[in-house]
Amino acid sequence: MREQIMNHTLSTVQIKPASRVPEFLRKKKRWNEILIQGFLFFCGFVSILTTIGIVFELGKESLLFFANPDVSLLEFFTNTRWQPSIGEFGILPLATSTLLTTLIAMIVALPVGLSAAIFLSEYASSKARSVLKPILEILAGVPTVVYGYFALTFMTPVLRGIFGEQNVEIYNTLSAGLVMGIMILPLVSSMSEDALTAVPRSLREAAYGLGSTRLETAVQIVVPAALSGIIAAFIIAISRAIGETMIVAIAAGSGSNFTFNPFKAAETMTGYIARISGGDVGYDTPDYNSIFAIGLVLFLVTLGLNILSRRLSAKYREVYE
Amino acid sequence: MNEYTDLAGESNTNLQKRHRDSKIWRTIFYASTAAAIIILAILILSIVNQAFGLVVLKNTVEPEKISSVPLEQLSSQDLIKILKKNLTSNRYKTIDRDMPFTARSQADLVDLVIAEVVKPTVVDSYHLDVSILHRNEIMARAAEKYPNGHVEFHSWLNPEFITRSMSSTPELAGVRTAIFGSLWIILITVLVAFPTGVGAAIYLEEYAASNRINKIIQTNIDNLAGVPSIIYGILGLAIFVRGLGYFTGGGFLGSGETGGRTILSAGLTMALLILPILIINAQEAIRAVPRSLREASYGLGATKWQTIWHHVLPSALPGILTGTILAISRAIGETAPLILVGASSFINRDPSSVFSRFTALPIQIYNWTTRPQDEFRNIAAAAILVLLVLLLSLNAFAILMRNRFTRRIS
Amino acid sequence: MIDHQTQTKPPIISAEDLCIFYGNFRAVKNVDMKIVPNQITAIIGPSGCGKSTVLRSFNRMNDFIPNCHVTGKITFHGHNIYDEDVDPVQVRQKIGMVFQKPNPFPKSIFDNVAWGLKINGMKGDLSEPVEQALKQAALWDEVKDHLKKSGLSLSGGQQQRLCIARALAVKPDIILMDEPCSALDPIATLKIEDLMRELSKDYTIIIVTHNMQQAARASDYTAFFTMDSDRAGVMVEYGETSHIFTNPQDKRTEDYITGRYG
Amino acid sequence: MIDHQTQTKPPIISAEDLCIFYGNFRAVKNVDMKIVPNQITAIIGPSGCGKSTVLRSFNRMNDFIPNCHVTGKITFHGHNIYDEDVDPVQVRQKIGMVFQKPNPFPKSIFDNVAWGLKINGMKGDLSEPVEQALKQAALWDEVKDHLKKSGLSLSGGQQQRLCIARALAVKPDIILMDEPCSALDPIATLKIEDLMRELSKDYTIIIVTHNMQQAARASDYTAFFTMDSDRAGVMVEYGETSHIFTNPQDKRTEDYITGRYG
Amino acid sequence: SPVFAAPAAEPTKAAEPTKAAVKEVELPEVDPSKLKGDIYSAGSSTVGPLSEAIQELFVQDGYTGEIKNDIIGTGGGFERFCKTGETDIANASRGIKDEEKANCAKLNPARNPIAFRVGTDAITIVVNKKNDFLKNVTTEELGKIFTTAEKWSDVNPKWPAQPIKRFTPGTDSGTFDFFAEFVIQKPQKLAKLDDAKKLLLNAKNTQASEDDNVLVQGVEGDQYAIGYFGFAYYQQQQDRLNAISINDIAPSFETAESGKYLLSRPLFIYSDAAILKAKPQVAGFINYYLTNVDKVIDKVGYFPASDEALNASKQALLDALK
Ligand SMILES: Nc1ncnc2c1ncn2[C@@H]1O[C@H](COP(=O)(O)OP(=O)(O)OP(=O)(O)O)[C@@H](O)[C@H]1O
Ligand SMILES: Nc1ncnc2c1ncn2[C@@H]1O[C@H](COP(=O)(O)OP(=O)(O)OP(=O)(O)O)[C@@H](O)[C@H]1O
Ligand SMILES: [Mg+2]
Ligand SMILES: [Mg+2]
Ligand SMILES: O=P([O-])([O-])[O-]
C-alpha cells in the first residue's frame, strides 16, 4: 500500500535537476575552523612525540650500553651482581628488590584498599563518604618524598623496635614497601570505589530482592560486576609501585643486593636511576648508560602492565544498559 | 501460617550465621578505612612531631665577654662600636647599607648584636613528644652537657623559615628560594600543559573520527599516564637538559649559560609528565557535558568550534580546572624527575627568569633528609609542612573554583 | 470497592494508612490496600505518582534509600513487616521483585538462578531447582543448551524472564513487578503477560504499569494512583479491573483511562 | 492517502528510499515521505522503531553520531541535503529542532534566544528579535520582567517554550520536535500543543510522539512506524491524521492504535 | 702566562708541613658588594660544605649575585666543569685526572684547570657506638675488612663472627678513589686503581652512596657496620659514631697536618684562568675563599692547609689573573 502512495506522488512532484546548490545551502570554507582543528590535532600529537622521545632516547642510550663489549644480554638478565663500574651487569638484584618492594606494597594496598572501597561504596552513608573520600584523597596527594621521609624516620624505627635492631637493617625493603603500600592504598580504594559505584543500583536491588545480606550483595554481586575496574586499579597500583622512586631512594638502601630478605637493604631499579643521575656519574660512562637501559626495562614493564590492564578490564567489562 | 510467624528469622540458624558474617566483615571493611585514615594522622603527626620541640642553644660569644653591662643597658653608640669591633668591615658595610646603623633603634641594635656577634646556635634538639614527656630530663642533661647553653621551645616552622633563603646552618636555612623555584616551575608547567592538554582533549572528544591515528593517540595517552615519573626525568635530562641545552639554558639569547639545568627544562619536563593526566581529566569533563547542550547548539546552525567555544568549554571548565589543579598538585610534589633534570642542592638567589637554575621544595626536603645534622631533619619536617599546606590550599582552591563555576552555570 | 472477594479470602498483604516520605517530602499518603492472594493486581497512574514507591515498600526495598521512611502499617500474613524484630532479609525472600529494566547478574544463566538458592544455604546439586525455576519462567527451552552462557548475552525479553526465574527460585509467596515490560518489544511483552497469568496460579502478583492496555489485559484488580495538589501520591480508586475500566467511579480515573491526560 | 493536498503544494522536505544505519545495524529502512508545508506532521510508533532517527536525519543531526550513515535522499526545497557541497550548518539553520528534554543553555533567558542570532552574524541591539521570538513562543508575558535570569531557573514547560523561542529566533523554515512534551505535565503539554497549532501558520512542524492521543489531537498528518522482523524501523502507514486514526489500513497500525501492544 | 697545577705535580697526599716561615702572599682585598653576576660550583661532597660556608660568608659580606653549589661528587664536578663546561668552579677531594683534563682541553673555548688547595681532610673510619672490639686497625686489616672478609672473625679471630656491613662513598666520589688508592692499591701494590676498586666493590654487604648521611645513618644503625667519609661528617656525628685509629694514629688536626694519618688528603677547588678573567665575581670569590677559608674550616670540620700550600694557591690566583 505504501508503494501505492509513493508511486502516486512521485509522478506528480517534479524533481528539479539539483545542478547547483542554492546559496543558502552551499558549503562555506571556514578557515578559522580548519586552523583550529589543525592546532588541536597537534596538541594530541604531542603525546605521540613524547612517546617517540622516550623510546628513542632510552633506546639510543641503551644501545650504547649493550654495545659495550663487556655487556651481554644474557648476562644482563641472569647475572646476580650489578656493579657497572667494575663490569658486573646483572639486572637481577635490582629487579628482585623492585619485585620485593612491590610485593610488600601490594600486600598492604590491595586488600586494605579494596576493603576501604567496599566500605565506602556499600556501607558508608553518603555523608560519611563525602567526608572520608576527600581525606583518603589527601593521603594520595602527599608527595612521595614525604613518604620516603616517613619510612626512614618513622616506619623503620618501628620495625626495628618490633623485630629487633640486629635483624632489621637501617635501610630495608620492608619499610619502603610498607610505606609504598600506604601511599598506593588511596589510589586503589579510590579507583575501586569508582568502579563499585558504577555498578548499577539495579543489580544491588536484584540481589537484595532475593533476600541477600549486605555482605553477600557486596562481595558476590557488586565486586564481581566491578571486576574490570578493580583489576585496572590493581594493575595501575602495581605499575605505580614499580615506578615509585623517592620512597625507595630514601628508605630502601643504596647498593644493589641480591636478596629476598625484606629486612635487608637493597637498591631497586628506580632507586639506582635516581642515585646515579643525582650527579655522581659522568656522561658516557657505563654507569650513565646503564640508567637508560634500566629505564628502558622499567618503561617496557609498565607499558606491558598498562596493556595487560586494558586487556583484562576489557575482558571483564560487563555492559549494562 | 506457622512459617510466617518467624519473620525475625530467630529459629533460622543459617540466617543468623549470614547476619553474623555480614557484621564481621562490615567491621573489617570499616577497620580498613579507619586504618587508612589513622595512618594519615600518624604521618602528619610524625612530621609535626619533628617540626617543633625543645632546643639547646649555645652562644658563640658570651655577651659578658663583649661588655660588662648587659647589652640591653648599652647605648646605641656602644652597640655600634661593638658591632664595628666584632664584624668584618664588609659585613659591617653590608648591614649598614641595608639600613644605616644610625637609623636603627637601640632595641634593634641589641637584636643585631645578638644575631651577629653573640650568635646563639642550636647544639641539640628534641622532638615534640620527647620535649613534652621528658622536659625535666632534657633540662638536666642540657645543664650538664652545655653549662652555658639554655633550653627553649622552638618552632622550626616560623615566618623567617619561609622568608629566608638557603643556608648550610640549619637554624638559618629557609625555603624561600625553593618556594619560588617550585612556583616558577609550576608556572611553566601550567602555561605549557594547560593549553596543550585541553586542546588534545577537545581534539579527541570532539573532532577525532575513530580512525587509526586517533586510536593510537588515545591509547598512547592512556599508556603515558602509567609511565613512571622517573622515566620522564630521563627524557627531560636527555632532551631538554642535554639535547636542547642551548635553548633551555638561554644560550641562544647570549646569556652565556651553558647546560640546560634550568627552570625551563624542569617546567617542560613536568608539563610532559602531567599532560596525560590532564588530558584524561579534561576528556572526562568534556564528555560529561550533556549531549543535549551540543545538540541545542548545532540545532541552531552553530559550527563545531562555536559550539565548543561557547557551550562545551564553559560547561566543562570546572571539571577541567579541577583536573588541572590535581595535576599541578602532583607536579608540585614530584621529586625524582627534578633530581634527574638537575635541581641544585645549594642556591642563594631566587630565580629571576625561566633560564635560572633552580631548586624546589621537594628537592630541598630530599636534600635536607640527607644531611648529617639532626637539625636538618627538623627543617625538612618544617618544609614538608609548608609543602602540605601549599598542596591543601591548592586543593581547597580547586574545590572552591568548582563550586563557583557550578553555581554560575545552574 | 473490593467487596465480596476480599471478604471471602483474607488478604495476603495489606497496607493500612500507609504514608511514605523521602526526607520531608511525602511521596505517598494514606494508602489503604488489601491484596488478594493468587491474583494479579495492577497499579496504574501518571508518572511520579508514587507507584514504584508503594510497590517497593511492600518488601522493604525502600530501606536502601537514605532518608526514606514509612508510617502506617504493611502486614504480611498478619504481621507488620516494619516491626522492629522483623528481618528485612527474610521479608525479601518471601516477597520477590522484578524490575523495570532486566537486571541479570553478570554471571552465567545457571548461576543467576542458583545464586539465590546458594545464599539461602542450599547446597549440593542445584540443577534440579534451577531447571524447575527456568521452566516456570518459560525460559527453559530457550536456554537449556547453554546454561553456562552469561545472562547478559540473552535478549531483553529473555533477560526479563531470567529475572523472573531467579525470583521464583527462592520460592517467594508474592512477586512484585515494576513495569516489567516497559523495556521490551511487543512480542516479548505478550510472552511475559502470558507467563504472569500462568504464575498467578501459585503466586500473588502485584504489577506496576504505565500501560493501561496492559493493566486491562493482564490484571484481575487495578489500583489507580494519582498526584494530589501537594504532589503526594494518593490511591484514587481500587477494584476489579473490569469495573475500573468500564465504569470508573472517579472523574480523574476516567480522564486518565480515556487518555485525556498522561 | 496523501492525495489532493500533496498534489496542490510541493513538499517542503521529502525522504526518498531513506535507510539509516548505525554501523552495520540498519535502524530504518526504505522510508519515503513527503512533508506538506505549513502543516503538523506527527510520527508515531513503538519505542525503538526509529522515529527519532528519521527525524534527526532531516537536519543532519545524525552527522554527530559516529558511524551513523544515510542512504537514499532527503531533499529540502528540491536539493538533497546530503549532497557533498551542502553545508550542514546552513541546513540546521533552516531546519530547527526542539528536543525531548528541554535543554536551555546555561545562560540568561535573553542570551538563550539571542545566541543563535549572534553566531549568525547579527550585531547591534538584539532585544527586538528576541522579544519577537519569545512572543511567538507564547513566553514573553511570563519572562519579560526577568530576561536576565538563567534559562535553567524556569519550569519545565517554560524551558521547553524557551527552546522553541530559541529555535524560532533564527528564522527556520521547519521545526523538528522530538517528543517535546514527554517530560512535561498535562497542563504544560496542552500549552505546547496550542503553540504548535499557532506556529503551523508560519512554519512546517514535524513532531515525534509516543502519545497517540497527542498525535490525534495535535497533528494534520500522521506517519506510523514500527519495527520489522530484522529490527529495522519501517514506515507502515502515512496519511491524514483523521484517516489513520479512524480507518487504519494496516493491521499493525490498528493493533497499535487500539493499544493491543506498545 | 705560566699555568700552575699540572696534575702529575699535584700532591695526591697532604704535604708535610713546613715549619719554616713562608713568605705570605698578599691578595688584594675584595668587597663582595661590588661584584655582580653568578657563580656556579659543583662537585665533591667533602668540599661542598666548606664551599657553602664560604659562600654564605660571602653573601653576608655583601655579595648580591647568585651563587649555586651542587653536591654531586668529585667526578661529577669535573664532569660539569670539563665536559659540559657548565660550572665556574669544581670542588674536588682529589687531584684532577688526566682524562678529565683532556676533556677540559676539548671544550670550546678550551679550559685549563687550575687547582687551589683550600684545606686538608682526614678520611675517617667509623663504626657503631656499640662496637667494642674495634678501636684501631692496621692498613692490612682495613684492606681485608673492606674487601675479602665476610665476617669480622675472618680478619681477626678475636673479633665476633658477624657479617661485616660496609658503607662506602659512591664510586664517583673522590673519597672512594682515595680510599681505594691508599688502602688497597698502594699497600697491595696493584698496577691499576681499577683493580683496587673492583676488590672493594666486590665485597658483600656493601652500600655505596654519594650521600654521606646514608653512610652515617647506616653505620649508626648497625652494630657490625663500618664506613668511612670526610672528617667533617664524623665531627658532626661524634655522639652517634666512633672513629677508629689507623696504625695507632687517630685522625686529628695534628696527624692530618703532619701527614702521619694514613688517610689525610688535600681538598681543592678548581677553576680556569679564562673564567677568572671573564667573570670577576668568580675571581673575587676565590680570592675571598682563600683569604677566609681558615676562619671557617675547623667549624666545618676539616683541617687548614699548610701555609705553604695556601700561599701557593694564592700565588696561582695572582698568576692566573695577570
Ligand atoms: N530516591 C528518591 N528520593 C527522593 N524522592 C524520590 C525518590 N524516588 C522517587 N522520589 C519522588 O517520589 C515521587 C514518586 O516517585 P515514584 O518513582 O514512586 O513514581 P512512579 O509513579 O513510579 O513514577 P514513574 O511512573 O515515573 O516510575 C516522585 O515525585 C519522585 O520524584
Ligand atoms: N547512537 C546510536 N547508536 C546505535 N544504535 C542506535 C543509536 N541511536 C539509536 N539506535 C538504535 O536505533 C534504533 C532506533 O532508535 P530511535 O532512537 O530512533 O528509536 P525511537 O523510535 O526514537 O525510540 P524512542 O521512542 O524510544 O525514542 C533502536 O534500535 C536504537 O537502539
Ligand atoms: Mg516507577
Ligand atoms: Mg526517540
Ligand atoms: O664527594 P667526594 O668528596 O667523595 O668526591
Side-chain angles (χ1 to χ4, degrees), chain D residues 111-158:
Chain D
D111 287 342
N112 257 285
V113 182
W115 191 75
L117 297 169
K118 279 187 200 147
I119 57 161
N120 281 312
M122 198 181 277
K123 296 230 168 66
D125 186 15
L126 298 178
S127 49
E128 173 57 35
V130 167
E131 178 176 340
Q132 181 70 19
L134 283 168
K135 274 184 177 153
Q136 272 187 294
L139 189 61
W140 176 250
D141 290 336
E142 290 161 56
V143 301
K144 63 171 181 250
D145 296 328
H146 34 258
L147 291 174
K148 291 247 170 66
K149 266 175 63 179
S150 164
L152 292 166
S153 65
L154 297 174
S155 78
Q158 289 174 321

Side-chain angles (χ1 to χ4, degrees), chain E residues 43-47 73-75 93 169 172-176 210 265:
Chain E
S44 162
S45 61
T46 314
V47 184
T74 303
S93 61
D172 213 38
S173 70
T175 314
F176 178 76
E210 220 53 47
R265 58 166 171 172

Side-chain angles (χ1 to χ4, degrees), chain A residues 288-319:
Chain A
Y288 181 78
N289 293 335
S290 73
I291 68 173
F292 288 87
I294 296 199
L296 187 65
V297 172
L298 209 53
F299 177 74
L300 292 178
V301 168
T302 49
L303 185 73
L305 282 172
N306 277 331
I307 292 168
L308 181 71
S309 149
R310 223 149 328 106
R311 283 270 165 81
L312 282 180
S313 61
K315 186 172 160 203
Y316 289 105
R317 177 164 304 138
E318 303 288 354
V319 183

Side-chain angles (χ1 to χ4, degrees), chain D:
Chain D
M1 275 165 280
I2 304 191
D3 12 52
H4 43 279
Q5 284 268 8
T6 29
Q7 265 130 25
T8 54
K9 275 193 190 178
I12 183 165
I13 191 164
S14 65
E16 290 169 32
D17 199 25
L18 179 70
C19 296
I20 310 177
F21 298 79
Y22 293 112
N24 292 325
F25 168 58
R26 182 158 65 165
V28 169
K29 68 180 177 190
N30 311 110
V31 171
D32 284 277
M33 197 174 178
K34 292 180 195 313
I35 302 294
V36 187
N38 290 79
Q39 299 286 322
I40 301 175
T41 304
I43 302 179
I44 61 172
S47 200
C49 69
K51 304 180 296 291
S52 304
T53 304
V54 167
L55 193 74
R56 296 160 59 91
S57 71
F58 283 167
N59 69 343
R60 296 193 55 174
M61 212 62 177
N62 283 338
D63 287 14
F64 300 107
I65 297 173
N67 74 39
C68 173
H69 76 276
V70 168
T71 66
K73 252 179 159 184
I74 294 180
T75 52
F76 173 55
H77 286 296
H79 301 274
N80 184 357
I81 60 168
Y82 282 88
D83 260 3
E84 269 285 287
D85 48 359
V86 165
D87 187 351
V89 169
Q90 301 267 58
V91 170
R92 289 183 212 115
Q93 231 161 278
K94 290 284 161 212
I95 308 175
M97 191 148 193
V98 174
F99 301 84
Q100 177 162 12
K101 279 216 181 125
N103 54 356
F105 298 131
K107 296 173 182 284
S108 72
I109 294 171
F110 183 91
D111 287 342
N112 257 285
V113 182
W115 191 75
L117 297 169
K118 279 187 200 147
I119 57 161
N120 281 312
M122 198 181 277
K123 296 230 168 66
D125 186 15
L126 298 178
S127 49
E128 173 57 35
V130 167
E131 178 176 340
Q132 181 70 19
L134 283 168
K135 274 184 177 153
Q136 272 187 294
L139 189 61
W140 176 250
D141 290 336
E142 290 161 56
V143 301
K144 63 171 181 250
D145 296 328
H146 34 258
L147 291 174
K148 291 247 170 66
K149 266 175 63 179
S150 164
L152 292 166
S153 65
L154 297 174
S155 78
Q158 289 174 321
Q159 288 190 8
Q160 198 59 300
R161 275 176 286 149
L162 178 61
C163 292
I164 294 175
R166 181 174 68 182
L168 295 176
V170 294
K171 306 231 168 292
D173 292 351
I174 304 178
I175 301 171
L176 310 175
M177 297 183 164
D178 192 354
E179 307 195 34
C181 306
S182 73
L184 305 183
D185 60 72
I187 294 158
T189 301
L190 288 178
K191 264 203 187 132
I192 301 268
E193 286 174 14
D194 290 346
L195 174 60
M196 276 161 51
R197 180 59 57 213
E198 194 62 33
L199 291 173
S200 71
K201 288 180 196 143
D202 303 315
Y203 302 90
T204 307
I205 295 177
I206 311 177
I207 175 173
V208 161
T209 172
H210 241 109
N211 183 324
M212 275 169 296
Q213 280 78 20
Q214 185 172 56
R217 275 192 305 260
S219 71
D220 302 310
Y221 292 88
T222 296
F224 172 63
F225 278 64
T226 192
M227 264 179 292
D228 224 0
S229 49
D230 59 351
R231 283 184 59 227
V234 288
M235 189 169 81
V236 175
E237 204 162 348
Y238 176 33
E240 281 181 43
T241 301
S242 48
H243 283 235
I244 297 263
F245 276 85
T246 53
N247 189 15
Q249 304 292 306
D250 196 293
K251 176 79 169 62
R252 291 169 294 179
T253 318
E254 194 183 330
D255 279 359
Y256 186 74
I257 289 171
T258 54
R260 204 136 324 136
Y261 84 89

Side-chain angles (χ1 to χ4, degrees), chain A residues 81 83 85-88 152 160 165-166 168-171 249-250 252-257 264-267 275-285 287, chain E residues 71-73 75-77 79-80 83-84 86 130 165 167 170-172 194 197-198 201-203 205-210 213-215 217-222:
Chain A
R81 294 181 44 76
Q83 280 299 355
S85 49
I86 55 164
E88 297 279 6
L152 186 63
R160 302 185 98 194
E165 299 231 336
Q166 67 286 2
V168 185
E169 295 185 358
I170 173 89
Y171 300 107
I250 295 174
S254 51
S256 64
N257 189 1
K264 292 209 161 191
E267 191 164 51
R275 174 163 70 89
I276 295 305
S277 58
D280 31 339
V281 162
Y283 300 152
D284 297 336
T285 59
D287 282 26
Chain E
I71 292 180
I72 55 177
E79 192 74 33
R80 287 200 195 166
K83 197 133 189 194
T84 59
E86 291 168 68
K130 291 201 206 110
K165 305 274 172 64
F167 290 86
T171 51
D172 213 38
D194 275 359
K197 286 189 187 175
K198 209 169 268 184
L201 289 170
N202 268 324
N205 287 326
T206 301
Q207 298 266 307
S209 178
E210 220 53 47
N213 190 48
V214 170
L215 310 178
Q217 293 199 359
V219 176
E220 186 195 7
D222 200 312

